[in-house]
Amino acid sequence: MTVTVPPVTAPPPLTATAVTPEELAAAHGLTLSGARPTLPRYVAQLWERRHFVTAYATARMQATYSAARLGQVWHLATPLLNAAVYYFIFGVIMNAGNRVADYIPFLITGVFVWDFIGSSINAGTRAVHSNLGLVRALHFPRAALPLSTVIQLFQQLLVTMGALVILLLAFGQMPAPSWLLVVPALLLAAVFCAGCALAMARIGSKNPDVSQLMPFILRTWMYSSGVMWSIESTLKSDHLPHWVTTALQLNPAAVYIDLMRFALIDSFKAHSLPPHVWLIAVGWALIAGIGGFVFFWKAEEEYGRG
């Protein structure tokens, strides 16, 4: 009996298909970790985490002076001490108060508002770089970090506003309907600060040395914002180049400070505030708020690398 063995044939050669890793991942429903979402989706993700943003801001505020013996009192003491120093230098030594009626209310209002603006931008510069561990460990919209710093400082500002009102009453400023203008003025200033903090957070994340320069930049900005002296009086008495005059009048920090002074101080209410000041305030808030947010979002997938 003979057994017939079928011939052994070689299997067909394997053909390699040109499949890229991206196509293979997409075919199995995988997405790139940390990829930048669309702008509407990014806003939606940020809104979904709004409770985290506010809770993180509150925790930061409580922890800021937790090691200090006076604790939260420093939220109030810091701008008051700054105002006392500026009054001694500018009000007493340099006689800046002679050009300004109600100089002490004028000064403390400017100091309180500037403290919020300057601190927000300075803290925003370090918001991402100082939280690299959190950025690399968890996936969340990175804009939550600079926004939480602004919210934290805005919460501190609301606390100190109570002390500002008491001081204004002590120096003869009486409540008036114009005090209600404080609300839109502060909200516009907060939007402006948030946009600036977002923009500086992106710059600071790639160039940490910028945070070392910010105190000098902010100090120069403060001195040109009329915190301790009256821009209006200076423009009337000094012959300045036109571009300097325009820059001083359009200075966003000076605009928000003037809005607060007009709302709270009687001598400012004596002359009506030009309507274009509110337009400038809204314009700066929109430019900084929208521009800063988009500028930060553009680099969303780059934060934490390197």
Side-chain angles (χ1 to χ4, degrees):
M1 180 178 178
T2 61
V3 178
T4 304
V5 179
V8 178
T9 58
L14 298 176
T15 59
T17 58
V19 179
T20 64
E22 291 79 6
E23 293 174 339
L24 185 62
H28 292 81
L30 302 180
T31 58
L32 179 64
S33 176
R36 184 185 70 194
T38 62
L39 187 58
R41 179 57 187 159
Y42 190 68
V43 174
Q45 290 177 354
L46 196 59
W47 177 253
E48 292 170 358
R49 292 164 175 81
R50 62 190 182 277
H51 300 298
F52 161 74
V53 175
T54 54
Y56 186 58
T58 302
R60 284 172 58 92
M61 185 178 71
Q62 294 174 349
T64 300
Y65 300 110
S66 59
R69 186 167 298 178
L70 296 180
Q72 303 295 323
V73 175
W74 285 110
H75 293 320
L76 174 62
T78 300
L80 289 178
L81 291 174
N82 286 333
V85 172
Y86 297 146
Y87 175 74
F88 176 73
I89 296 175
F90 292 92
V92 177
I93 297 178
M94 302 182 65
N95 291 321
N98 292 337
R99 291 186 176 186
V100 182
D102 299 319
Y103 182 69
I104 294 180
F106 171 93
L107 176 63
I108 59 178
T109 302
V111 169
F112 274 61
V113 177
W114 170 256
D115 186 65
F116 168 63
I117 295 174
S119 298
S120 297
I121 298 173
N122 191 40
T125 306
R126 303 186 301 270
V128 173
H129 186 264
S130 61
N131 290 283
L132 284 179
L134 184 63
V135 170
R136 291 168 177 169
L138 300 175
H139 179 64
F140 62 95
R142 310 314 189 198
L145 295 174
L147 289 179
S148 67
T149 63
V150 176
I151 293 174
Q152 170 201 348
L153 293 166
F154 190 73
Q155 291 174 339
Q156 294 180 13
L157 177 64
L158 295 180
V159 173
T160 57
M161 282 300 296
L164 176 61
V165 169
I166 294 174
L167 290 172
L168 292 175
L169 293 174
F171 286 98
Q173 306 301 313
M174 300 307 296
S178 63
W179 284 31
L180 297 176
L181 295 176
V182 166
V183 176
L186 286 182
L187 289 178
L188 289 174
V191 173
F192 171 79
C193 290
C196 291
L198 285 163
M200 293 308 303
R202 174 178 174 178
I203 296 173
S205 68
K206 296 301 180 182
N207 303 282
D209 291 338
V210 173
S211 62
Q212 304 300 322
L213 293 175
M214 286 308 296
F216 303 98
I217 296 173
L218 291 173
R219 191 177 302 123
T220 303
W221 189 8
M222 178 188 68
Y223 288 141
S224 62
S225 299
V227 175
M228 295 80 66
W229 53 279
S230 173
I231 292 178
E232 182 181 2
S233 299
T234 302
L235 294 180
K236 289 180 179 178
S237 59
D238 296 339
H239 299 287
L240 297 174
H242 178 69
W243 69 270
V244 175
T245 301
T246 303
L248 290 175
Q249 292 174 333
L250 296 179
N251 182 346
V255 168
Y256 295 121
I257 290 172
D258 278 349
L259 289 180
M260 289 290 292
R261 286 169 173 164
F262 174 78
L264 297 172
I265 302 174
D266 293 337
S267 58
F268 269 67
K269 303 171 194 173
H271 51 86
S272 59
L273 190 70
H276 70 270
V277 176
W278 280 104
L279 294 178
I280 295 173
V282 173
W284 275 120
L286 292 176
I287 292 172
I290 298 175
F293 187 83
V294 173
F295 179 71
F296 184 90
W297 163 75
K298 286 282 188 179
E300 174 70 14
E301 56 193 1
E302 300 175 8
Y303 302 125
R305 292 184 180 178

